[in-house]
PDB file of all heavy atoms in Angstrom:
ATOM      1  N   MET A   1     257.209 137.059  96.284  1.00  0.00           N
ATOM      2  CA  MET A   1     257.683 136.031  97.240  1.00  0.00           C
ATOM      3  C   MET A   1     257.667 136.688  98.642  1.00  0.00           C
ATOM      4  O   MET A   1     258.138 137.824  98.776  1.00  0.00           O
ATOM      5  CB  MET A   1     259.018 135.589  96.862  1.00  0.00           C
ATOM      6  CG  MET A   1     259.842 134.825  97.870  1.00  0.00           C
ATOM      7  SD  MET A   1     259.601 133.154  98.302  1.00  0.00           S
ATOM      8  CE  MET A   1     259.625 132.161  96.879  1.00  0.00           C
ATOM      9  N   THR A   2     257.218 136.010  99.565  1.00  0.00           N
ATOM     10  CA  THR A   2     257.265 136.425 100.994  1.00  0.00           C
ATOM     11  C   THR A   2     258.579 135.961 101.638  1.00  0.00           C
ATOM     12  O   THR A   2     258.964 134.869 101.579  1.00  0.00           O
ATOM     13  CB  THR A   2     256.082 135.858 101.760  1.00  0.00           C
ATOM     14  OG1 THR A   2     254.928 136.265 101.155  1.00  0.00           O
ATOM     15  CG2 THR A   2     256.157 136.307 103.240  1.00  0.00           C
ATOM     16  N   ALA A   3     259.261 137.008 102.290  1.00  0.00           N
ATOM     17  CA  ALA A   3     260.567 136.771 102.875  1.00  0.00           C
ATOM     18  C   ALA A   3     260.301 137.112 104.390  1.00  0.00           C
ATOM     19  O   ALA A   3     259.376 137.806 104.778  1.00  0.00           O
ATOM     20  CB  ALA A   3     261.611 137.615 102.288  1.00  0.00           C
ATOM     21  N   TYR A   4     261.244 136.499 105.222  1.00  0.00           N
ATOM     22  CA  TYR A   4     261.065 136.850 106.670  1.00  0.00           C
ATOM     23  C   TYR A   4     262.443 136.642 107.193  1.00  0.00           C
ATOM     24  O   TYR A   4     263.409 136.003 106.610  1.00  0.00           O
ATOM     25  CB  TYR A   4     260.072 135.857 107.328  1.00  0.00           C
ATOM     26  CG  TYR A   4     260.657 134.478 107.583  1.00  0.00           C
ATOM     27  CD1 TYR A   4     261.204 134.112 108.795  1.00  0.00           C
ATOM     28  CD2 TYR A   4     260.622 133.573 106.518  1.00  0.00           C
ATOM     29  CE1 TYR A   4     261.669 132.809 108.939  1.00  0.00           C
ATOM     30  CE2 TYR A   4     261.024 132.238 106.747  1.00  0.00           C
ATOM     31  CZ  TYR A   4     261.672 131.844 107.902  1.00  0.00           C
ATOM     32  OH  TYR A   4     262.116 130.645 108.124  1.00  0.00           O
ATOM     33  N   GLY A  18     257.958 140.333 105.003  1.00  0.00           N
ATOM     34  CA  GLY A  18     257.821 141.322 103.975  1.00  0.00           C
ATOM     35  C   GLY A  18     257.702 140.708 102.529  1.00  0.00           C
ATOM     36  O   GLY A  18     257.956 139.518 102.412  1.00  0.00           O
ATOM     37  N   GLU A  19     257.376 141.561 101.614  1.00  0.00           N
ATOM     38  CA  GLU A  19     257.303 141.092 100.242  1.00  0.00           C
ATOM     39  C   GLU A  19     258.508 141.622  99.487  1.00  0.00           C
ATOM     40  O   GLU A  19     258.901 142.740  99.606  1.00  0.00           O
ATOM     41  CB  GLU A  19     255.984 141.715  99.606  1.00  0.00           C
ATOM     42  CG  GLU A  19     254.687 141.005 100.093  1.00  0.00           C
ATOM     43  CD  GLU A  19     254.593 139.494  99.885  1.00  0.00           C
ATOM     44  OE1 GLU A  19     255.035 139.029  98.977  1.00  0.00           O
ATOM     45  OE2 GLU A  19     254.194 138.899 100.886  1.00  0.00           O
ATOM     46  N   GLU A  20     259.161 140.701  98.877  1.00  0.00           N
ATOM     47  CA  GLU A  20     260.380 140.993  98.115  1.00  0.00           C
ATOM     48  C   GLU A  20     260.119 141.959  96.941  1.00  0.00           C
ATOM     49  O   GLU A  20     259.065 141.821  96.325  1.00  0.00           O
ATOM     50  CB  GLU A  20     261.090 139.861  97.597  1.00  0.00           C
ATOM     51  CG  GLU A  20     261.617 138.914  98.694  1.00  0.00           C
ATOM     52  CD  GLU A  20     262.337 137.649  98.225  1.00  0.00           C
ATOM     53  OE1 GLU A  20     261.922 137.107  97.197  1.00  0.00           O
ATOM     54  OE2 GLU A  20     263.229 137.231  98.880  1.00  0.00           O
ATOM     55  N   ASP A  21     261.016 142.936  96.812  1.00  0.00           N
ATOM     56  CA  ASP A  21     260.956 143.727  95.649  1.00  0.00           C
ATOM     57  C   ASP A  21     262.395 143.999  95.179  1.00  0.00           C
ATOM     58  O   ASP A  21     263.317 143.561  95.784  1.00  0.00           O
ATOM     59  CB  ASP A  21     260.215 145.075  95.936  1.00  0.00           C
ATOM     60  CG  ASP A  21     260.939 145.962  96.942  1.00  0.00           C
ATOM     61  OD1 ASP A  21     262.235 145.962  97.009  1.00  0.00           O
ATOM     62  OD2 ASP A  21     260.220 146.685  97.676  1.00  0.00           O
ATOM     63  N   PRO A  22     262.602 144.622  93.985  1.00  0.00           N
ATOM     64  CA  PRO A  22     263.954 144.737  93.454  1.00  0.00           C
ATOM     65  C   PRO A  22     264.964 145.406  94.437  1.00  0.00           C
ATOM     66  O   PRO A  22     266.170 145.160  94.360  1.00  0.00           O
ATOM     67  CB  PRO A  22     263.815 145.500  92.175  1.00  0.00           C
ATOM     68  CG  PRO A  22     262.444 145.343  91.777  1.00  0.00           C
ATOM     69  CD  PRO A  22     261.631 145.149  93.035  1.00  0.00           C
ATOM     70  N   ASP A  23     264.437 146.285  95.152  1.00  0.00           N
ATOM     71  CA  ASP A  23     265.382 147.001  96.137  1.00  0.00           C
ATOM     72  C   ASP A  23     265.601 146.377  97.530  1.00  0.00           C
ATOM     73  O   ASP A  23     266.336 146.890  98.335  1.00  0.00           O
ATOM     74  CB  ASP A  23     264.886 148.436  96.355  1.00  0.00           C
ATOM     75  CG  ASP A  23     264.752 149.252  94.988  1.00  0.00           C
ATOM     76  OD1 ASP A  23     265.676 149.015  94.220  1.00  0.00           O
ATOM     77  OD2 ASP A  23     263.807 149.984  94.804  1.00  0.00           O
ATOM     78  N   GLY A  24     264.917 145.319  97.805  1.00  0.00           N
ATOM     79  CA  GLY A  24     264.968 144.653  99.082  1.00  0.00           C
ATOM     80  C   GLY A  24     263.713 143.999  99.452  1.00  0.00           C
ATOM     81  O   GLY A  24     263.196 143.021  98.818  1.00  0.00           O
ATOM     82  N   VAL A  25     262.989 144.633 100.416  1.00  0.00           N
ATOM     83  CA  VAL A  25     261.761 144.001 100.860  1.00  0.00           C
ATOM     84  C   VAL A  25     260.893 145.158 101.349  1.00  0.00           C
ATOM     85  O   VAL A  25     261.343 146.221 101.909  1.00  0.00           O
ATOM     86  CB  VAL A  25     262.051 143.061 102.020  1.00  0.00           C
ATOM     87  CG1 VAL A  25     262.492 143.705 103.327  1.00  0.00           C
ATOM     88  CG2 VAL A  25     260.865 142.185 102.272  1.00  0.00           C
ATOM     89  N   THR A  26     259.645 145.001 101.197  1.00  0.00           N
ATOM     90  CA  THR A  26     258.565 145.913 101.659  1.00  0.00           C
ATOM     91  C   THR A  26     257.952 145.299 102.917  1.00  0.00           C
ATOM     92  O   THR A  26     257.297 144.200 102.759  1.00  0.00           O
ATOM     93  CB  THR A  26     257.496 146.258 100.660  1.00  0.00           C
ATOM     94  OG1 THR A  26     258.102 146.758  99.460  1.00  0.00           O
ATOM     95  CG2 THR A  26     256.439 147.159 101.138  1.00  0.00           C
ATOM     96  N   ARG A  46     260.498 132.438 102.486  1.00  0.00           N
ATOM     97  CA  ARG A  46     261.953 132.242 102.448  1.00  0.00           C
ATOM     98  C   ARG A  46     262.627 133.112 103.499  1.00  0.00           C
ATOM     99  O   ARG A  46     262.384 134.363 103.509  1.00  0.00           O
ATOM    100  CB  ARG A  46     262.389 132.605 101.054  1.00  0.00           C
ATOM    101  CG  ARG A  46     263.845 132.321 100.740  1.00  0.00           C
ATOM    102  CD  ARG A  46     264.141 132.421  99.252  1.00  0.00           C
ATOM    103  NE  ARG A  46     263.896 133.796  98.723  1.00  0.00           N
ATOM    104  CZ  ARG A  46     264.784 134.700  98.729  1.00  0.00           C
ATOM    105  NH1 ARG A  46     265.975 134.532  99.202  1.00  0.00           N
ATOM    106  NH2 ARG A  46     264.455 135.886  98.164  1.00  0.00           N
ATOM    107  N   ARG A  47     263.507 132.403 104.275  1.00  0.00           N
ATOM    108  CA  ARG A  47     264.278 133.195 105.328  1.00  0.00           C
ATOM    109  C   ARG A  47     265.291 133.885 104.517  1.00  0.00           C
ATOM    110  O   ARG A  47     266.098 133.264 103.836  1.00  0.00           O
ATOM    111  CB  ARG A  47     264.937 132.256 106.377  1.00  0.00           C
ATOM    112  CG  ARG A  47     265.778 133.093 107.260  1.00  0.00           C
ATOM    113  CD  ARG A  47     266.449 132.113 108.310  1.00  0.00           C
ATOM    114  NE  ARG A  47     265.581 131.719 109.419  1.00  0.00           N
ATOM    115  CZ  ARG A  47     265.190 132.330 110.524  1.00  0.00           C
ATOM    116  NH1 ARG A  47     265.773 133.490 110.740  1.00  0.00           N
ATOM    117  NH2 ARG A  47     264.468 131.854 111.441  1.00  0.00           N
ATOM    118  N   ASP A  48     265.410 135.305 104.724  1.00  0.00           N
ATOM    119  CA  ASP A  48     266.382 136.054 103.990  1.00  0.00           C
ATOM    120  C   ASP A  48     266.812 137.256 104.787  1.00  0.00           C
ATOM    121  O   ASP A  48     266.328 138.418 104.573  1.00  0.00           O
ATOM    122  CB  ASP A  48     265.751 136.515 102.641  1.00  0.00           C
ATOM    123  CG  ASP A  48     266.914 137.080 101.615  1.00  0.00           C
ATOM    124  OD1 ASP A  48     267.900 137.412 102.174  1.00  0.00           O
ATOM    125  OD2 ASP A  48     266.571 137.209 100.494  1.00  0.00           O
ATOM    126  N   ARG A  51     267.741 140.774 103.144  1.00  0.00           N
ATOM    127  CA  ARG A  51     266.724 141.666 102.570  1.00  0.00           C
ATOM    128  C   ARG A  51     266.236 142.676 103.711  1.00  0.00           C
ATOM    129  O   ARG A  51     265.619 143.682 103.389  1.00  0.00           O
ATOM    130  CB  ARG A  51     265.589 140.845 102.040  1.00  0.00           C
ATOM    131  CG  ARG A  51     265.974 140.096 100.780  1.00  0.00           C
ATOM    132  CD  ARG A  51     265.220 140.643  99.724  1.00  0.00           C
ATOM    133  NE  ARG A  51     265.445 139.902  98.426  1.00  0.00           N
ATOM    134  CZ  ARG A  51     265.414 140.499  97.318  1.00  0.00           C
ATOM    135  NH1 ARG A  51     264.985 141.664  97.142  1.00  0.00           N
ATOM    136  NH2 ARG A  51     265.652 139.793  96.238  1.00  0.00           N
ATOM    137  N   PHE A  52     266.382 142.241 104.989  1.00  0.00           N
ATOM    138  CA  PHE A  52     265.905 143.007 106.059  1.00  0.00           C
ATOM    139  C   PHE A  52     267.057 143.733 106.753  1.00  0.00           C
ATOM    140  O   PHE A  52     266.859 144.289 107.834  1.00  0.00           O
ATOM    141  CB  PHE A  52     265.190 142.197 106.991  1.00  0.00           C
ATOM    142  CG  PHE A  52     263.944 141.542 106.518  1.00  0.00           C
ATOM    143  CD1 PHE A  52     263.943 140.251 105.989  1.00  0.00           C
ATOM    144  CD2 PHE A  52     262.711 142.166 106.624  1.00  0.00           C
ATOM    145  CE1 PHE A  52     262.853 139.680 105.422  1.00  0.00           C
ATOM    146  CE2 PHE A  52     261.593 141.605 106.186  1.00  0.00           C
ATOM    147  CZ  PHE A  52     261.678 140.382 105.540  1.00  0.00           C
TER     148      PHE A  52
END
Side-chain angles (χ1 to χ4, degrees):
M1 161 82 49
T2 300
Y4 76 96
E19 293 300 320
E20 293 180 327
D21 64 33
D23 299 322
V25 70
T26 302
R46 188 166 61 86
R47 179 182 283 274
D48 192 347
R51 294 244 181 209
F52 294 91

